[in-house]
Amino acid sequence: MKLKEILNGIETISVSGCTDKEIDLITFDSRKCRKGSMFIAVCGAEADGHKFIPDAISAGVSAVICQEGYDGSCDGATFIKVKNSRIALALAAANFYGHPSEKLNLVGITGTNGKTTTVTLLYNLFNSLGYCCGLISTIANYVNGRKLHTDNTTPDPVTLNSLMAQMVEEGCEYCFMEVSSHSIDQDRITGLKFKIAIFSNLTHDHLDYHKTFAAYRDCKKRFFDELPSDAYALTNIDDRNGEVMVQNTSAAVKRYACHSMADFQCRIIEESIEGMLINIDGTRIWSRFIGRHNAYNLLAVYSTAILLGAKKEEVLVKMSALGPVAGRLEYIKGGKDITAVVDYSHTPDALENALTTLREAGSDRMLICVFGCGGDRDRSKRPEMGVIATKYADRVIVTSDNPRREDPQEIINEIRSGMDARARAKSLFITDRKEAIRSAVMTAPEGAIILVAGKGHEDYQIIGTTKYHFDDKEVIAEAMNELN
Protein backbone atom coordinates (compact mmCIF):
# COMPACT_ATOMS: atom_id res chain seq x y z
CA MET A 1 0.00 0.00 0.00
CA LYS A 2 1.36 3.46 -0.89
CA LEU A 3 1.93 6.08 1.82
CA LYS A 4 -0.53 8.50 0.17
CA GLU A 5 -3.25 5.82 0.24
CA ILE A 6 -2.56 5.12 3.91
CA LEU A 7 -2.69 8.80 4.85
CA ASN A 8 -5.91 9.35 2.94
CA GLY A 9 -7.58 6.67 5.09
CA ILE A 10 -6.33 8.02 8.42
CA GLU A 11 -8.81 9.81 10.67
CA THR A 12 -6.44 11.15 13.35
CA ILE A 13 -2.71 11.45 13.97
CA SER A 14 -1.22 10.74 17.42
CA VAL A 15 2.36 11.62 18.30
CA SER A 16 4.49 10.35 21.15
CA GLY A 17 7.37 12.26 22.68
CA CYS A 18 7.92 14.50 25.68
CA THR A 19 7.06 18.15 26.32
CA ASP A 20 9.82 19.36 28.63
CA LYS A 21 11.72 22.52 27.58
CA GLU A 22 10.28 22.59 24.05
CA ILE A 23 12.38 19.52 23.31
CA ASP A 24 9.68 17.22 22.01
CA LEU A 25 6.07 17.01 21.02
CA ILE A 26 3.15 15.25 22.68
CA THR A 27 3.12 12.61 25.42
CA PHE A 28 1.48 9.27 24.72
CA ASP A 29 -2.30 9.31 25.02
CA SER A 30 -4.03 6.00 24.38
CA ARG A 31 -7.39 7.78 23.98
CA LYS A 32 -6.16 9.16 20.64
CA CYS A 33 -5.10 5.72 19.43
CA ARG A 34 -8.48 4.51 18.29
CA LYS A 35 -9.21 2.50 15.16
CA GLY A 36 -8.49 4.52 12.04
CA SER A 37 -5.73 6.61 13.61
CA MET A 38 -2.02 6.76 12.86
CA PHE A 39 0.64 6.60 15.56
CA ILE A 40 3.98 8.32 14.95
CA ALA A 41 6.89 7.36 17.21
CA VAL A 42 9.29 10.24 17.83
CA CYS A 43 12.68 9.86 19.51
CA GLY A 44 12.85 12.45 22.28
CA ALA A 45 15.56 13.68 24.62
CA GLU A 46 13.86 12.21 27.67
CA ALA A 47 11.48 9.66 26.16
CA ASP A 48 11.41 7.41 23.11
CA GLY A 49 8.01 7.11 21.49
CA HIS A 50 8.90 3.71 20.06
CA LYS A 51 8.34 2.06 23.43
CA PHE A 52 4.65 3.02 23.19
CA ILE A 53 4.08 1.28 19.86
CA PRO A 54 2.66 -1.95 21.38
CA ASP A 55 0.24 0.10 23.50
CA ALA A 56 -0.84 2.10 20.45
CA ILE A 57 -1.52 -1.07 18.46
CA SER A 58 -3.46 -2.54 21.37
CA ALA A 59 -5.56 0.63 21.43
CA GLY A 60 -6.47 0.06 17.77
CA VAL A 61 -4.28 2.26 15.55
CA SER A 62 -4.33 1.38 11.86
CA ALA A 63 -0.83 2.57 10.93
CA VAL A 64 2.50 3.29 12.63
CA ILE A 65 5.35 5.48 11.44
CA CYS A 66 8.62 4.63 13.15
CA GLN A 67 12.32 5.00 12.51
CA GLU A 68 14.45 2.41 10.76
CA GLY A 69 15.99 0.08 13.29
CA TYR A 70 12.83 -0.55 15.28
CA ASP A 71 12.83 -4.30 15.93
CA GLY A 72 9.63 -4.70 17.93
CA SER A 73 6.43 -6.40 16.89
CA CYS A 74 4.86 -5.19 13.65
CA ASP A 75 1.69 -7.26 13.94
CA GLY A 76 -1.73 -5.60 14.00
CA ALA A 77 -1.01 -2.43 11.99
CA THR A 78 0.55 -1.18 8.76
CA PHE A 79 4.14 -0.10 9.52
CA ILE A 80 6.05 2.62 7.68
CA LYS A 81 9.74 2.75 8.57
CA VAL A 82 11.60 5.99 7.83
CA LYS A 83 15.02 7.50 8.48
CA ASN A 84 13.58 10.43 10.44
CA SER A 85 10.13 10.16 11.98
CA ARG A 86 10.05 13.90 12.79
CA ILE A 87 10.26 14.75 9.08
CA ALA A 88 7.70 12.06 8.30
CA LEU A 89 5.42 13.52 10.97
CA ALA A 90 5.63 17.02 9.50
CA LEU A 91 4.96 15.82 5.97
CA ALA A 92 2.13 13.56 7.11
CA ALA A 93 0.51 16.41 9.07
CA ALA A 94 0.73 18.78 6.09
CA ASN A 95 -0.80 16.13 3.82
CA PHE A 96 -3.47 15.17 6.37
CA TYR A 97 -4.73 18.77 6.57
CA GLY A 98 -4.53 19.41 2.82
CA HIS A 99 -1.33 21.51 2.77
CA PRO A 100 -2.98 24.65 4.24
CA SER A 101 0.25 26.71 4.19
CA GLU A 102 0.11 26.68 0.40
CA LYS A 103 -3.29 28.40 0.54
CA LEU A 104 -2.02 31.26 2.75
CA ASN A 105 0.52 34.03 2.43
CA LEU A 106 2.70 32.54 5.16
CA VAL A 107 5.29 34.83 6.77
CA GLY A 108 7.77 33.48 9.32
CA ILE A 109 10.37 35.30 11.40
CA THR A 110 13.36 33.84 13.18
CA GLY A 111 16.07 35.42 15.31
CA THR A 112 16.82 35.88 18.99
CA ASN A 113 14.81 39.01 19.76
CA GLY A 114 11.88 40.85 18.16
CA LYS A 115 9.95 37.87 16.82
CA THR A 116 6.80 38.32 18.90
CA THR A 117 6.63 42.08 18.41
CA THR A 118 7.15 41.82 14.64
CA VAL A 119 4.55 39.11 13.92
CA THR A 120 2.00 40.67 16.27
CA LEU A 121 2.38 44.07 14.61
CA LEU A 122 2.10 42.47 11.17
CA TYR A 123 -1.08 40.72 12.28
CA ASN A 124 -2.52 43.97 13.68
CA LEU A 125 -1.41 45.95 10.62
CA PHE A 126 -3.00 43.62 8.08
CA ASN A 127 -6.16 43.38 10.15
CA SER A 128 -6.35 47.19 10.06
CA LEU A 129 -5.86 47.06 6.29
CA GLY A 130 -9.01 44.96 6.08
CA TYR A 131 -7.57 41.48 5.64
CA CYS A 132 -8.50 38.28 7.45
CA CYS A 133 -5.38 36.98 9.19
CA GLY A 134 -3.92 34.33 11.47
CA LEU A 135 -1.17 34.65 14.08
CA ILE A 136 1.08 32.01 15.65
CA SER A 137 3.20 33.53 18.43
CA THR A 138 4.67 33.15 21.89
CA ILE A 139 1.83 35.16 23.45
CA ALA A 140 -1.17 33.57 21.73
CA ASN A 141 -2.47 32.11 18.51
CA TYR A 142 -5.26 33.88 16.61
CA VAL A 143 -7.52 32.62 13.85
CA ASN A 144 -9.50 35.48 12.31
CA GLY A 145 -9.67 37.38 15.62
CA ARG A 146 -10.36 34.27 17.71
CA LYS A 147 -7.75 33.77 20.44
CA LEU A 148 -6.37 30.30 21.09
CA HIS A 149 -4.00 29.11 23.82
CA THR A 150 -0.34 28.45 23.01
CA ASP A 151 2.33 26.48 24.87
CA ASN A 152 5.37 26.86 22.63
CA THR A 153 6.69 29.65 20.42
CA THR A 154 6.22 27.34 17.43
CA PRO A 155 3.78 24.43 17.92
CA ASP A 156 4.30 20.84 16.81
CA PRO A 157 3.54 20.01 13.13
CA VAL A 158 0.09 18.57 13.81
CA THR A 159 -1.01 21.65 15.75
CA LEU A 160 0.60 23.98 13.19
CA ASN A 161 -1.16 22.45 10.22
CA SER A 162 -4.42 22.17 12.15
CA LEU A 163 -4.26 25.89 12.99
CA MET A 164 -3.53 26.83 9.39
CA ALA A 165 -6.35 24.59 8.16
CA GLN A 166 -8.71 26.50 10.47
CA MET A 167 -7.36 29.77 9.06
CA VAL A 168 -8.02 28.64 5.51
CA GLU A 169 -11.50 27.43 6.42
CA GLU A 170 -12.34 30.81 8.00
CA GLY A 171 -11.10 32.77 4.99
CA CYS A 172 -7.72 33.99 6.20
CA GLU A 173 -5.38 35.25 3.50
CA TYR A 174 -2.29 35.80 5.66
CA CYS A 175 -0.58 33.95 8.50
CA PHE A 176 2.25 35.48 10.52
CA MET A 177 4.27 33.15 12.71
CA GLU A 178 7.34 32.98 14.92
CA VAL A 179 9.89 30.34 13.96
CA SER A 180 12.00 29.24 16.92
CA SER A 181 15.36 27.49 16.62
CA HIS A 182 13.83 24.48 18.40
CA SER A 183 11.17 24.19 15.71
CA ILE A 184 13.73 24.33 12.91
CA ASP A 185 15.98 21.75 14.55
CA GLN A 186 13.05 19.43 15.31
CA ASP A 187 11.55 19.73 11.80
CA ARG A 188 8.28 21.21 13.06
CA ILE A 189 8.11 23.57 10.06
CA THR A 190 9.10 20.98 7.45
CA GLY A 191 6.45 20.81 4.73
CA LEU A 192 5.27 24.41 5.20
CA LYS A 193 5.45 26.81 2.25
CA PHE A 194 6.65 30.26 3.28
CA LYS A 195 6.05 33.38 1.21
CA ILE A 196 8.49 35.48 3.26
CA ALA A 197 11.11 34.51 5.84
CA ILE A 198 12.50 37.29 8.06
CA PHE A 199 15.75 37.37 10.05
CA SER A 200 15.79 39.82 12.97
CA ASN A 201 19.06 39.37 14.86
CA LEU A 202 21.20 36.77 16.58
CA THR A 203 22.53 37.01 20.12
CA HIS A 204 23.20 34.77 23.11
CA ASP A 205 20.30 32.37 23.79
CA HIS A 206 19.30 28.69 23.95
CA LEU A 207 22.88 27.44 24.36
CA ASP A 208 21.53 24.91 26.85
CA TYR A 209 19.93 23.27 23.81
CA HIS A 210 22.29 24.06 20.92
CA LYS A 211 25.51 23.91 23.02
CA THR A 212 27.46 26.35 20.80
CA PHE A 213 26.67 29.69 19.20
CA ALA A 214 27.75 28.31 15.81
CA ALA A 215 25.20 25.50 16.07
CA TYR A 216 22.51 28.00 17.09
CA ARG A 217 23.39 30.25 14.12
CA ASP A 218 23.46 27.37 11.63
CA CYS A 219 20.08 26.16 12.86
CA LYS A 220 18.56 29.58 12.14
CA LYS A 221 20.28 29.65 8.76
CA ARG A 222 18.66 26.36 7.80
CA PHE A 223 15.28 28.14 7.69
CA PHE A 224 16.55 30.28 4.80
CA ASP A 225 18.51 27.46 3.13
CA GLU A 226 15.28 25.53 2.62
CA LEU A 227 13.16 28.35 1.17
CA PRO A 228 11.77 27.88 -2.36
CA SER A 229 12.87 30.13 -5.22
CA ASP A 230 9.53 31.97 -5.34
CA ALA A 231 9.84 33.16 -1.71
CA TYR A 232 11.50 36.25 -0.23
CA ALA A 233 14.31 36.14 2.33
CA LEU A 234 14.24 39.44 4.25
CA THR A 235 17.33 39.98 6.39
CA ASN A 236 18.66 42.60 8.81
CA ILE A 237 22.13 43.35 7.47
CA ASP A 238 23.07 45.56 10.42
CA ASP A 239 23.39 42.29 12.32
CA ARG A 240 26.74 40.62 11.65
CA ASN A 241 24.93 37.36 10.82
CA GLY A 242 22.44 38.99 8.46
CA GLU A 243 24.30 38.08 5.29
CA VAL A 244 25.28 34.67 6.64
CA MET A 245 21.61 33.74 6.90
CA VAL A 246 20.95 34.23 3.18
CA GLN A 247 24.23 33.18 1.59
CA ASN A 248 22.84 29.81 0.42
CA THR A 249 19.16 30.59 -0.04
CA SER A 250 17.29 30.08 -3.30
CA ALA A 251 14.81 32.81 -2.36
CA ALA A 252 14.93 36.40 -3.60
CA VAL A 253 16.96 38.32 -1.00
CA LYS A 254 15.83 41.69 0.33
CA ARG A 255 17.69 43.63 3.02
CA TYR A 256 16.67 46.11 5.72
CA ALA A 257 18.88 48.26 7.96
CA CYS A 258 19.11 51.35 10.13
CA HIS A 259 22.83 51.94 9.63
CA SER A 260 23.66 50.40 6.24
CA MET A 261 22.61 50.81 2.63
CA ALA A 262 19.68 48.45 2.09
CA ASP A 263 16.46 47.91 0.16
CA PHE A 264 14.52 49.26 3.15
CA GLN A 265 15.96 51.81 5.59
CA CYS A 266 14.94 53.51 8.83
CA ARG A 267 16.42 56.26 11.00
CA ILE A 268 15.39 57.52 14.44
CA ILE A 269 15.03 61.31 14.39
CA GLU A 270 13.97 61.91 17.99
CA GLU A 271 12.47 59.97 20.89
CA SER A 272 11.07 60.35 24.37
CA ILE A 273 9.43 58.11 26.93
CA GLU A 274 6.16 58.58 24.98
CA GLY A 275 7.40 57.44 21.55
CA MET A 276 9.71 58.29 18.68
CA LEU A 277 9.81 60.08 15.34
CA ILE A 278 11.32 57.87 12.66
CA ASN A 279 12.10 58.17 8.97
CA ILE A 280 11.19 55.07 6.96
CA ASP A 281 12.25 55.12 3.31
CA GLY A 282 12.15 58.94 3.19
CA THR A 283 8.86 59.43 5.06
CA ARG A 284 8.56 60.60 8.66
CA ILE A 285 6.06 58.98 11.00
CA TRP A 286 5.43 59.17 14.75
CA SER A 287 5.39 55.83 16.55
CA ARG A 288 4.25 54.97 20.06
CA PHE A 289 7.23 52.61 20.32
CA ILE A 290 10.64 53.59 21.64
CA GLY A 291 14.13 52.20 21.25
CA ARG A 292 16.55 51.23 18.53
CA HIS A 293 15.40 47.59 18.66
CA ASN A 294 11.82 48.68 17.97
CA ALA A 295 12.99 50.76 15.02
CA TYR A 296 14.24 47.47 13.53
CA ASN A 297 10.98 45.72 14.40
CA LEU A 298 8.93 48.47 12.74
CA LEU A 299 11.18 48.44 9.68
CA ALA A 300 10.78 44.66 9.38
CA VAL A 301 7.00 45.12 9.54
CA TYR A 302 7.06 47.84 6.88
CA SER A 303 9.41 45.87 4.59
CA THR A 304 7.27 42.75 4.82
CA ALA A 305 4.08 44.68 4.09
CA ILE A 306 5.63 46.22 0.98
CA LEU A 307 6.88 42.82 -0.24
CA LEU A 308 3.36 41.48 0.24
CA GLY A 309 2.06 44.19 -2.09
CA ALA A 310 0.63 46.73 0.36
CA LYS A 311 0.79 50.44 -0.54
CA LYS A 312 3.50 52.49 1.18
CA GLU A 313 1.33 55.48 2.19
CA GLU A 314 -1.45 53.33 3.62
CA VAL A 315 1.02 51.11 5.49
CA LEU A 316 2.77 54.08 7.15
CA VAL A 317 -0.51 55.68 8.22
CA LYS A 318 -1.69 52.42 9.82
CA MET A 319 1.72 51.80 11.42
CA SER A 320 1.63 55.15 13.21
CA ALA A 321 -1.52 53.96 15.01
CA LEU A 322 -0.07 50.63 16.18
CA GLY A 323 0.28 50.22 19.94
CA PRO A 324 2.71 48.22 22.10
CA VAL A 325 2.56 44.44 22.23
CA ALA A 326 1.63 42.79 25.54
CA GLY A 327 4.67 42.46 27.78
CA ARG A 328 6.99 44.30 25.38
CA LEU A 329 7.98 47.66 26.96
CA GLU A 330 4.43 47.89 28.32
CA TYR A 331 3.92 50.94 30.55
CA ILE A 332 2.08 51.35 33.84
CA LYS A 333 1.88 54.87 35.31
CA GLY A 334 1.60 55.44 39.05
CA GLY A 335 1.84 57.99 41.82
CA LYS A 336 4.90 60.21 42.31
CA ASP A 337 5.21 60.25 38.49
CA ILE A 338 6.66 56.72 38.61
CA THR A 339 6.61 54.70 35.37
CA ALA A 340 6.85 50.92 35.57
CA VAL A 341 7.73 49.06 32.38
CA VAL A 342 7.08 45.34 31.90
CA ASP A 343 9.24 43.64 29.28
CA TYR A 344 9.89 40.06 28.21
CA SER A 345 13.65 40.67 27.95
CA HIS A 346 15.21 37.43 29.20
CA THR A 347 18.45 37.39 27.18
CA PRO A 348 21.53 39.60 27.68
CA ASP A 349 20.93 41.49 24.44
CA ALA A 350 17.22 42.02 25.09
CA LEU A 351 17.88 43.26 28.63
CA GLU A 352 20.53 45.65 27.35
CA ASN A 353 18.16 46.92 24.64
CA ALA A 354 15.41 47.58 27.18
CA LEU A 355 17.70 49.33 29.65
CA THR A 356 19.49 51.50 27.10
CA THR A 357 16.15 52.45 25.55
CA LEU A 358 14.75 53.56 28.91
CA ARG A 359 18.00 55.28 29.84
CA GLU A 360 18.01 57.32 26.63
CA ALA A 361 14.30 58.12 26.81
CA GLY A 362 14.41 59.20 30.47
CA SER A 363 17.98 60.39 30.91
CA ASP A 364 17.21 62.58 33.93
CA ARG A 365 15.23 59.93 35.84
CA MET A 366 16.37 57.17 38.18
CA LEU A 367 16.31 53.78 36.45
CA ILE A 368 15.56 50.70 38.57
CA CYS A 369 15.80 47.17 37.15
CA VAL A 370 14.07 44.09 38.59
CA PHE A 371 15.02 40.83 36.85
CA GLY A 372 15.91 37.18 37.23
CA CYS A 373 16.84 34.20 35.06
CA GLY A 374 14.82 31.08 34.30
CA GLY A 375 15.73 27.70 35.74
CA ASP A 376 16.59 24.66 33.62
CA ARG A 377 17.80 27.02 30.90
CA ASP A 378 21.11 28.40 29.61
CA ARG A 379 23.16 29.08 32.76
CA SER A 380 26.03 30.83 30.98
CA LYS A 381 24.01 34.01 30.40
CA ARG A 382 23.24 34.57 34.10
CA PRO A 383 26.44 36.41 35.19
CA GLU A 384 26.41 38.36 31.92
CA MET A 385 22.92 39.64 32.64
CA GLY A 386 24.06 40.69 36.12
CA VAL A 387 26.80 42.78 34.54
CA ILE A 388 24.40 44.37 32.04
CA ALA A 389 21.76 45.24 34.66
CA THR A 390 24.24 46.99 36.95
CA LYS A 391 25.93 48.75 34.04
CA TYR A 392 22.81 50.63 32.93
CA ALA A 393 20.49 50.78 35.97
CA ASP A 394 20.96 53.03 39.00
CA ARG A 395 19.49 50.37 41.27
CA VAL A 396 19.08 46.62 40.66
CA ILE A 397 16.91 44.03 42.37
CA VAL A 398 17.75 40.45 41.42
CA THR A 399 14.92 37.99 41.99
CA SER A 400 13.30 34.77 40.72
CA ASP A 401 11.95 34.34 37.22
CA ASN A 402 10.65 30.82 36.51
CA PRO A 403 13.02 28.76 38.68
CA ARG A 404 11.47 25.47 37.57
CA ARG A 405 13.44 22.59 39.10
CA GLU A 406 16.42 24.69 40.18
CA ASP A 407 16.97 26.33 43.56
CA PRO A 408 16.00 30.03 43.08
CA GLN A 409 18.77 31.15 45.40
CA GLU A 410 21.40 29.29 43.40
CA ILE A 411 20.22 31.02 40.22
CA ILE A 412 20.50 34.39 41.96
CA ASN A 413 24.00 33.45 43.17
CA GLU A 414 25.07 32.73 39.58
CA ILE A 415 23.75 36.13 38.46
CA ARG A 416 25.56 37.76 41.38
CA SER A 417 28.84 36.07 40.41
CA GLY A 418 29.12 38.37 37.40
CA MET A 419 28.96 41.53 39.52
CA ASP A 420 31.94 43.29 41.01
CA ALA A 421 31.88 44.92 44.46
CA ARG A 422 30.61 48.24 43.10
CA ALA A 423 27.75 46.54 41.21
CA ARG A 424 26.74 44.50 44.27
CA ALA A 425 26.68 47.63 46.40
CA LYS A 426 23.78 49.05 44.37
CA SER A 427 21.92 45.74 44.16
CA LEU A 428 19.41 43.90 46.32
CA PHE A 429 18.81 40.16 46.15
CA ILE A 430 15.20 39.20 46.96
CA THR A 431 14.13 35.67 46.08
CA ASP A 432 10.36 36.31 46.29
CA ARG A 433 9.43 38.02 43.00
CA LYS A 434 6.36 39.71 44.44
CA GLU A 435 8.37 41.23 47.28
CA ALA A 436 11.10 42.30 44.84
CA ILE A 437 8.62 44.18 42.64
CA ARG A 438 6.88 45.72 45.65
CA SER A 439 10.23 46.83 47.05
CA ALA A 440 11.14 48.50 43.75
CA VAL A 441 7.85 50.43 43.62
CA MET A 442 7.63 51.39 47.30
CA THR A 443 11.21 52.68 47.50
CA ALA A 444 11.36 54.38 44.09
CA PRO A 445 11.94 58.16 44.23
CA GLU A 446 9.67 60.58 42.41
CA GLY A 447 9.87 60.33 38.63
CA ALA A 448 11.68 56.97 38.62
CA ILE A 449 11.43 54.41 35.82
CA ILE A 450 11.19 50.76 36.93
CA LEU A 451 11.94 48.00 34.44
CA VAL A 452 10.48 44.64 35.48
CA ALA A 453 12.13 42.27 33.04
CA GLY A 454 11.98 38.62 32.08
CA LYS A 455 8.37 37.48 32.12
CA GLY A 456 6.53 40.08 30.07
CA HIS A 457 3.14 38.74 28.98
CA GLU A 458 3.34 35.61 31.14
CA ASP A 459 0.68 35.38 33.85
CA TYR A 460 2.28 32.49 35.70
CA GLN A 461 5.43 31.47 37.54
CA ILE A 462 6.84 27.95 37.23
CA ILE A 463 8.20 26.60 40.51
CA GLY A 464 9.26 22.98 40.35
CA THR A 465 6.96 21.54 37.70
CA THR A 466 3.88 23.51 38.78
CA LYS A 467 2.51 26.71 37.22
CA TYR A 468 1.22 29.25 39.73
CA HIS A 469 -0.71 32.37 38.78
CA PHE A 470 1.64 35.35 38.79
CA ASP A 471 1.36 38.51 36.72
CA ASP A 472 4.01 41.24 36.99
CA LYS A 473 1.47 43.86 35.91
CA GLU A 474 -0.96 42.89 38.66
CA VAL A 475 1.74 43.06 41.33
CA ILE A 476 2.89 46.46 40.03
CA ALA A 477 -0.67 47.80 39.99
CA GLU A 478 -1.27 46.68 43.59
CA ALA A 479 1.91 48.37 44.76
CA MET A 480 1.12 51.51 42.76
CA ASN A 481 -2.31 51.69 44.42
CA GLU A 482 -0.68 51.70 47.83
CA LEU A 483 1.34 54.75 46.81
CA ASN A 484 -1.79 56.73 45.90
Side-chain angles (χ1 to χ4, degrees):
M1 185 181 293
K2 294 182 179 179
L3 177 59
K4 184 176 180 181
E5 294 172 350
I6 294 171
L7 290 174
N8 286 341
I10 296 299
E11 296 174 3
T12 60
I13 296 176
S14 178
V15 185
S16 181
C18 139
T19 57
D20 189 48
K21 296 197 294 186
E22 281 198 306
I23 299 299
D24 298 302
L25 300 169
I26 305 168
T27 52
F28 178 70
D29 186 349
S30 61
R31 292 170 299 179
K32 296 180 180 179
C33 295
R34 57 184 179 272
K35 185 174 178 59
S37 66
M38 170 182 281
F39 180 79
I40 303 175
V42 173
C43 294
E46 297 184 17
D48 186 349
H50 290 76
K51 72 178 183 179
F52 298 117
I53 289 176
D55 295 326
I57 293 174
S58 296
V61 299
S62 300
V64 174
I65 290 181
C66 63
Q67 293 197 170
E68 294 175 352
Y70 173 72
D71 56 4
S73 173
C74 296
D75 296 331
T78 299
F79 267 68
I80 307 157
K81 293 189 176 183
V82 297
K83 290 184 178 180
N84 188 322
S85 56
R86 290 188 183 277
I87 293 176
L89 163 63
L91 297 176
N95 186 76
F96 181 82
Y97 286 102
H99 299 281
S101 67
E102 297 179 4
K103 302 165 188 173
L104 296 162
N105 290 295
L106 179 60
V107 177
I109 180 170
T110 198
T112 305
N113 301 311
K115 298 188 296 297
T116 301
T117 297
T118 302
V119 293
T120 304
L121 292 182
L122 278 166
Y123 173 78
N124 292 339
L125 172 65
F126 274 76
N127 273 331
S128 70
L129 289 171
Y131 296 100
C132 181
C133 306
L135 173 67
I136 299 172
S137 76
T138 300
I139 296 176
N141 299 326
Y142 283 87
V143 176
N144 190 22
R146 179 164 51 89
K147 184 177 180 180
L148 302 171
H149 174 71
T150 181
D151 287 316
N152 292 335
T153 297
T154 311
D156 64 85
V158 178
T159 304
L160 265 178
N161 282 278
S162 173
L163 280 169
M164 290 184 191
Q166 292 178 57
M167 293 174 193
V168 171
E169 186 177 347
E170 296 192 25
C172 293
E173 298 177 61
Y174 298 90
C175 174
F176 305 102
M177 68 175 285
E178 296 183 51
V179 178
S180 68
S181 58
H182 294 82
S183 71
I184 300 168
D185 186 60
Q186 295 170 13
D187 295 295
R188 298 184 205 170
I189 61 169
T190 297
L192 300 184
K193 181 175 174 57
F194 287 89
K195 179 83 171 181
I196 300 177
I198 309 166
F199 170 70
S200 60
N201 50 66
L202 202 66
T203 62
H204 188 149
D205 199 18
H206 297 310
L207 298 193
D208 56 319
Y209 180 87
H210 296 286
K211 308 306 179 186
T212 67
F213 185 83
Y216 178 47
R217 177 201 63 212
D218 292 345
C219 182
K220 297 284 191 184
K221 180 178 177 293
R222 183 180 148 197
F223 180 35
F224 298 90
D225 290 347
E226 296 176 356
L227 289 173
S229 59
D230 59 348
Y232 284 110
L234 177 63
T235 185
N236 171 15
I237 59 168
D238 280 344
D239 186 283
R240 61 191 178 93
N241 290 288
E243 289 292 355
V244 174
M245 290 295 132
V246 297
Q247 64 186 13
N248 299 118
T249 189
S250 297
V253 177
K254 296 292 180 179
R255 299 166 175 84
Y256 69 98
C258 292
H259 300 292
S260 309
M261 293 297 295
D263 298 292
F264 305 100
Q265 293 180 287
C266 177
R267 181 168 59 91
I268 299 175
I269 299 171
E270 62 182 58
E271 65 177 318
S272 69
I273 199 71
E274 306 297 333
M276 60 184 174
L277 181 66
I278 56 177
N279 184 308
I280 294 184
D281 275 357
T283 301
R284 293 187 176 192
I285 67 166
W286 174 259
S287 169
R288 293 160 59 190
F289 294 84
I290 63 172
R292 178 174 55 89
H293 63 294
N294 273 324
Y296 283 103
N297 293 337
L298 290 167
L299 182 57
V301 169
Y302 168 81
S303 306
T304 302
I306 298 303
L307 291 177
L308 288 172
K311 295 180 180 179
K312 175 181 176 178
E313 295 76 14
E314 191 175 7
V315 168
L316 292 176
V317 169
K318 297 293 185 182
M319 281 180 61
S320 65
L322 294 174
V325 176
R328 272 63 179 176
L329 289 182
E330 192 173 359
Y331 292 82
I332 302 171
K333 296 281 189 177
K336 301 195 311 187
D337 194 30
I338 294 172
T339 301
V341 182
V342 175
D343 193 74
Y344 190 55
S345 45
H346 59 281
T347 66
D349 184 64
L351 183 62
E352 185 170 18
N353 282 338
L355 286 168
T356 54
T357 293
L358 296 173
R359 172 61 74 198
E360 291 167 3
S363 57
D364 58 340
R365 305 167 72 171
M366 173 176 275
L367 179 57
I368 302 169
C369 177
V370 181
F371 84 103
C373 289
D376 297 335
R377 295 294 187 270
D378 183 3
R379 295 173 60 181
S380 64
K381 68 184 180 183
R382 293 171 184 173
E384 184 180 353
M385 290 180 72
V387 171
I388 289 168
T390 52
K391 177 181 178 181
Y392 295 103
D394 301 301
R395 185 187 299 169
V396 174
I397 301 178
V398 181
T399 188
S400 294
D401 190 289
N402 291 319
R404 297 183 177 86
R405 293 174 295 183
E406 287 194 63
D407 180 349
Q409 190 57 52
E410 287 303 311
I411 297 174
I412 290 173
N413 290 341
E414 290 187 13
I415 296 171
R416 183 174 180 165
S417 70
M419 302 177 178
D420 59 22
R422 185 175 179 181
R424 292 179 186 180
K426 65 176 183 179
S427 302
L428 293 174
F429 304 89
I430 304 174
T431 306
D432 187 296
R433 190 174 181 89
K434 183 174 182 178
E435 288 306 311
I437 295 171
R438 280 179 50 79
S439 178
V441 174
M442 302 307 289
T443 62
E446 186 168 349
I449 298 174
I450 305 169
L451 172 66
V452 181
K455 292 178 62 58
H457 65 282
E458 294 177 353
D459 60 359
Y460 59 83
Q461 189 172 29
I462 305 174
I463 301 173
T465 56
T466 305
K467 276 187 179 182
Y468 299 91
H469 178 76
F470 191 97
D471 191 323
D472 286 350
K473 290 178 283 187
E474 289 178 5
V475 177
I476 292 167
E478 288 174 8
M480 291 282 203
N481 286 337
E482 292 184 35
L483 286 179
N484 296 331

